[in-house]
Amino acid sequence: MKKILNYIDGEFKEPLSNKWLDNYNPATGEVYSLIPDSDELDVELAVVAAQKAFPGWSTLSEEKRSDFMLKIAKAIDDRLDTLALAESMDNGKPVWLAKVMDIPRASQNFSFFGTAILHESALSHKTGVEAINYTYKSPIGLAGCISPWNLPLYLFTWKIAPALTAGNCVIAKPSEITPMTAYMLSEICAEVGLPAGVLNIVHGLGPKVGSAIVSHPKIPAISFTGGTKTGQEIARVAAPMFKKLSLELGGKNPNIIFADCDFDQMIKTTVSSSFTNQGEICLCGSRIFIERSLYKKFKEAFIEKVQSLKVGDPLDNSNRIGALVSKPHMDKVLSYIKLAQEEGGTILTGGNIVKPEGRCANGYFLEPTVIEGLSQSCRTNQEEIFGPVVTIMPFDTEDEVLEMANSTPYGLSATIWTQNLSRAHKVAHQLQSGIIWINCWLLRDLRTPFGGMKQSGVGREGGFEALDFFTDKKNVCIKL
Ligand code: NDP
């Protein structure tokens, strides 16, 4: 059976404990590789390697660091098919989706930050005729990057690329549930000659490897994407150590549909914003609010479209929805479908496990599910489900929908559908969400600030903000 290995100090290493974890293919339910069950001793090796590499890497010119990033981006592009297949096998997502979304974006993360560093500048402030100040930027040192399973390589590289580009050495942990493409990235880094110790990837469980990274005194910056509860635990450990923290956490995003919207465009996009990647994207709109006069028409058209989504083998390009990432996650989603019914909801379509014939008979497939008749305050509408489940609710006024949209502890993203431009701006400004799309969804410009309000996170990724996070600034004042 294939063994995934840690990548530490430029070498591929087994975990010191020689303990291994099973890696499942969620589309078949079979174990197909083994993952290091690493612990704090492996993290310590990575820290030592990163400390050794830091003086050389941080003083390399921006052009040379950029060169490495662009080489990695090209190597990812060259392996598009292989990486997309690996991502699909590890996560359960359709291979066509990994090919158009996950892998191209992983490459763009390296090319985006690799070129951004060439355009970076620093401020200077003149204090009358007395003095001049300039801002001196330097890398922080060692950065810990921890990422989730839903967009494995996409989110892993979204952290690593700016951290490395800014001149830091990295100790990274992908989700133990989806480690394969991170392992393949380490092979790419070795192949392009990234200096040893600059990037170290330690595989294993969150409470062991993740917490060893977060609590390590020699790692002053932590960039984390994952659930809000894990984020709270990380903040609890890191805050007293005064670490720099970037937290991208969960969401329960509203999708607000006014009656004057472009109906066809809205319906098409709402199907995507509800169910792309099996609904396992932190930006999916899981609470859909529809102006009452449009509710009946929306409901009929939406259900028809949702029922036409084919669920099954991720390797079959005609399937729109693949497998959920794991059996425990499928059980969690199913428990919310049951809860929704207990809370008085009606399942309009979906709600059941799908058992495809053939090789995927034991995979973790679920029908896309639409629920109505729930109150805004019930648990189904307040807690993150992170699966192919949405609720639909009518509204009458702007004030009412804003109150409902803002009623959860989360504030990651929101979508608004209307042709009324001034209403679109007004509602956008009042929504408590860090990312707002008007008449579109998931249209991303990597220069824009990315992150959530309230319990959806702390800080922003993207553009120069990400490079800033991985940089220390000092002011140098010169008396004239
Ligand atoms: P988790 O919080 O369970 O895990 C995220 C990562 O943290 C994993 O690598 C995990 O390891 C690790 N981890 C777990 N416990 C600890 C710990 N105590 N200390 C350090 N690291 C730890 O999230 P999921 O992987 O389940 O991902 C889904 C969540 O991510 C959803 O809530 C989703 O909304 C959120 N998310 C947010 C995004 C955003 O940009 N705001 C984007 C994408 C997802 P292991 O896998 O071994 O448990």
Side-chain angles (χ1 to χ4, degrees):
M1 180 148 332
K2 186 178 172 71
K3 275 183 172 171
I4 285 174
L5 298 172
N6 289 332
Y7 178 58
I8 298 173
D9 205 9
E11 289 176 9
F12 293 91
K13 293 188 197 292
E14 300 202 340
L16 291 171
S17 64
N18 198 24
K19 288 189 188 148
W20 301 86
L21 301 162
D22 290 337
N23 187 24
Y24 287 84
N25 176 343
T28 62
E30 283 162 11
V31 174
Y32 78 103
S33 71
L34 295 176
I35 315 159
D37 182 7
S38 312
D39 57 30
E40 73 280 3
L41 297 178
D42 303 283
V43 170
E44 189 57 38
L45 285 184
V47 168
V48 171
Q51 282 180 308
K52 199 171 65 175
F54 181 68
W57 181 248
S58 57
T59 51
L60 211 59
S61 71
E62 278 76 9
E63 285 78 7
K64 291 218 166 97
R65 287 207 298 269
S66 166
D67 244 24
F68 277 114
M69 298 302 112
L70 298 181
K71 275 187 193 149
I72 295 172
K74 172 147 191 330
I76 292 174
D77 289 340
D78 291 345
R79 288 166 177 74
L80 174 65
D81 289 339
T82 323
L83 284 165
L85 182 61
E87 203 70 296
S88 169
M89 275 177 74
D90 227 15
N91 169 278
K93 67 180 70 206
V95 68
W96 63 261
L97 183 65
K99 216 162 161 175
V100 297
M101 183 174 76
D102 297 71
I103 308 307
R105 176 57 193 280
S107 158
Q108 278 162 23
N109 288 341
F110 281 104
S111 54
F112 176 81
F113 288 107
T115 49
I117 194 75
L118 302 177
H119 302 271
E120 229 217 351
S121 56
L123 284 173
S124 135
H125 299 86
K126 190 158 99 36
T127 313
V129 291
E130 215 184 333
I132 185 145
N133 300 269
Y134 67 89
T135 307
Y136 180 80
K137 296 185 186 180
S138 54
I140 295 176
L142 271 50
C145 298
I146 302 174
S147 58
W149 48 257
N150 64 322
L151 301 168
L153 193 62
Y154 176 133
L155 289 174
F156 194 60
T157 54
W158 181 232
K159 300 182 175 306
I160 288 170
L164 292 176
T165 308
N168 303 280
C169 292
V170 170
I171 294 103
K173 188 197 102 60
S175 170
E176 143 267 329
I177 302 165
T178 52
M180 188 57 86
T181 49
Y183 173 58
M184 292 163 84
L185 177 70
S186 53
E187 292 178 325
I188 287 174
C189 291
E191 187 187 294
V192 305
L194 190 71
V198 166
L199 172 63
N200 304 278
I201 301 177
V202 186
H203 295 273
L205 297 168
K208 272 161 105 175
V209 175
S211 67
I213 293 174
V214 172
S215 61
H216 201 293
K218 297 278 166 45
I219 306 179
I222 303 291
S223 175
F224 168 80
T225 298
T228 294
K229 234 174 129 205
T230 317
Q232 273 166 348
E233 168 62 12
I234 288 175
R236 193 187 63 75
V237 174
M241 301 174 85
F242 302 105
K243 294 195 177 203
K244 227 175 162 183
L245 265 188
S246 165
L247 301 174
E248 297 294 340
L249 310 175
K252 189 74 182 174
N253 310 312
N255 178 3
I256 301 173
I257 299 165
F258 287 98
D260 68 348
C261 67
D262 175 336
F263 189 81
D264 292 343
Q265 188 57 47
M266 176 277 295
I267 276 284
K268 192 168 156 242
T269 310
T270 294
V271 172
S272 300
S273 64
S274 304
F275 299 115
T276 298
N277 207 47
Q278 300 71 244
E280 296 166 333
I281 301 185
C282 53
L283 306 166
C284 278
S286 52
R287 294 178 298 146
I288 309 177
F289 300 102
I290 309 104
E291 197 166 1
R292 197 175 298 277
S293 58
L294 190 71
Y295 190 79
K296 189 166 173 288
K297 181 177 171 188
F298 171 85
K299 181 170 145 180
E300 282 166 15
F302 187 55
I303 289 171
E304 191 190 321
K305 285 235 179 292
V306 173
Q307 285 173 343
S308 73
L309 296 173
K310 274 181 68 192
V311 182
D313 192 342
L315 302 185
D316 177 344
N317 285 340
S318 69
N319 287 325
R320 295 293 95 186
I321 298 185
L324 294 194
V325 75
S326 67
K327 173 82 169 54
H329 187 59
M330 185 173 78
D331 290 343
K332 178 192 148 184
V333 177
L334 281 167
S335 77
Y336 272 102
I337 293 172
K338 188 163 166 275
L339 175 72
Q341 291 165 289
E342 287 161 10
E343 289 181 321
T346 304
I347 295 179
L348 299 175
T349 184
N352 301 306
I353 286 176
V354 177
K355 287 262 165 221
E357 283 180 9
R359 74 172 202 110
C360 293
N362 295 319
Y364 316 131
F365 297 88
L366 210 53
E367 289 172 342
T369 302
V370 182
I371 302 170
E372 78 167 350
L374 287 169
S375 81
Q376 178 43 39
S377 58
C378 70
R379 279 184 55 208
T380 309
N381 270 330
Q382 290 288 316
E383 297 174 14
E384 187 183 42
I385 300 174
F386 215 54
V389 179
V390 295
T391 61
I392 63 170
M393 281 157 283
F395 69 88
D396 293 299
T397 66
E398 251 172 61
D399 285 347
E400 182 195 7
V401 78
L402 272 165
E403 196 186 320
M404 293 197 287
N406 287 336
S407 72
T408 75
Y410 296 106
L412 189 54
S413 73
T415 310
I416 304 167
W417 290 94
T418 179
Q419 303 276 35
N420 179 336
L421 194 58
S422 62
R423 171 157 65 192
H425 286 297
K426 207 170 120 206
V427 173
H429 295 175
Q430 292 180 79
L431 278 170
Q432 295 161 356
S433 306
I435 303 153
I436 292 172
W437 281 290
I438 296 173
N439 299 328
C440 59
W441 178 71
L442 210 59
L443 191 54
R444 290 279 293 118
D445 181 325
L446 301 191
R447 294 169 301 178
T448 59
F450 179 92
M453 294 179 172
K454 302 196 281 188
Q455 291 187 18
S456 286
V458 177
R460 293 291 179 272
E461 296 187 318
F464 287 112
E465 301 219 27
L467 288 174
D468 262 10
F469 174 76
F470 290 109
T471 305
D472 259 340
K473 291 196 195 96
K474 66 175 76 142
N475 185 61
V476 180
C477 175
I478 308 155
K479 178 124 175 56
L480 294 173

